[in-house]
Amino acid sequence: MTVVLAGVGADQSNVGRNLPLYDDGTFEYVPIPEKTPETDESETFGTWPLRNGGVAADLLSKIRPAPGREEEWVTDPERIAGWPLHRDPNFDALTYGEHRGSADQRQGYVRLLEALDPGDVVGFYAGLAPPGGHPHRYLIGYFTAESVVTTAGRSPAEKRDLLADHPENAHAKRADGGELYYDRVGAEDKYVAIVEGREPGGLFERDPIRLSERYVKPGNERVGYYLREGIADEWDLRAPDADPVALTRKPAMCFDLSGETFRDRNGIPGAR
DNA sequence: TTGAGAGCCATTCTTCGCCC
DNA sequence: GGGCGAAGAATGGCTCTCAA
């Protein structure tokens, strides 16, 4: 009886802009750039179709595959068009993988996802900007959890077998010879949680659900983005335990809400 | 072992300067 | 004057350290 929301999608930090929300309620979802061009993912910014025509590369003037002060922006249009996507979640194959957080965090991404039971829901929110308006965090889709597996505590051979069992997952696609990306770059303390999903699930067609409120929190000087009070109350927020929950950095959120109730309130992807 | 506090840094807003 | 980009600053999550 759990709903976990995860922040996904390209944003200011990796493509230098927020994704568009159009006047008719439709929106564009574009995955973040893959950290490494060495991936089995065939979709690139030059092939990812937009709902209003064209491809994702048409929206972008720059990308930063690995956000960080030492990383340079890629501005060459041909390189942008050919850069692979970190297609996570994969709304076609209904699979989602996550490495953010660690085993000793109670409220990090991987720990919240590990707690999902079959029939629970994992939802996805992204930063969308309407024409001439401020960006907000919107729920853009979800799927029903079928199973959750992690690479924690597994031997290299076991990890290889696990990734082979989830070939459509973005973390499996960027694994090299069964070796996870974070193992290759020396971050062995990271592990990946993979959620395999089932119907009902997918990306909303239109009218994403706004999760954030934009205001100056008492005691602060600057405006911030916070979880709407109504969402926290009606969906029974369990984590994080902050009040209000700041959505600036896309935290994982957990709600004590049944999958059935969540679907009744928010509709079915494909029919919304 | 656990919780509090401090520092680091990712994210994004604001301001300012440059160019058309 | 408007648009755009760069730089600086504010916020808050994550991580580490230390004390209880």
Side-chain angles (χ1 to χ4, degrees), chain A residues 87 89-96 143 166-170 173 195-199 202:
Chain A
R87 197 177 173 189
N90 184 325
F91 284 108
D92 293 331
L94 299 183
T95 179
Y96 173 57
F143 61 70
H166 304 277
E168 292 303 315
N169 188 275
K173 286 186 175 182
V195 183
E196 284 299 311
R198 60 173 164 82
E199 302 283 351

Side-chain angles (χ1 to χ4, degrees), chain A residues 5-8 19-21 25 27 123-130 133-141 204 207-212 228 247 272:
Chain A
L5 298 189
V8 301
L19 299 173
L21 170 63
F27 62 93
F124 304 100
Y125 68 96
L128 302 178
H134 289 290
H136 274 286
R137 304 303 194 206
Y138 291 84
L139 181 72
I140 60 169
F204 293 149
D207 300 328
I209 297 162
R210 184 162 64 85
L211 302 177
S212 61
R228 291 171 64 191
L247 298 184
R272 182 185 174 88

Side-chain angles (χ1 to χ4, degrees), chain A residues 235-254:
Chain A
W235 295 12
D236 199 358
L237 177 72
R238 281 194 297 170
D241 51 17
D243 183 25
V245 176
L247 298 184
T248 310
R249 293 186 62 188
K250 296 183 178 175
M253 292 181 283
C254 182

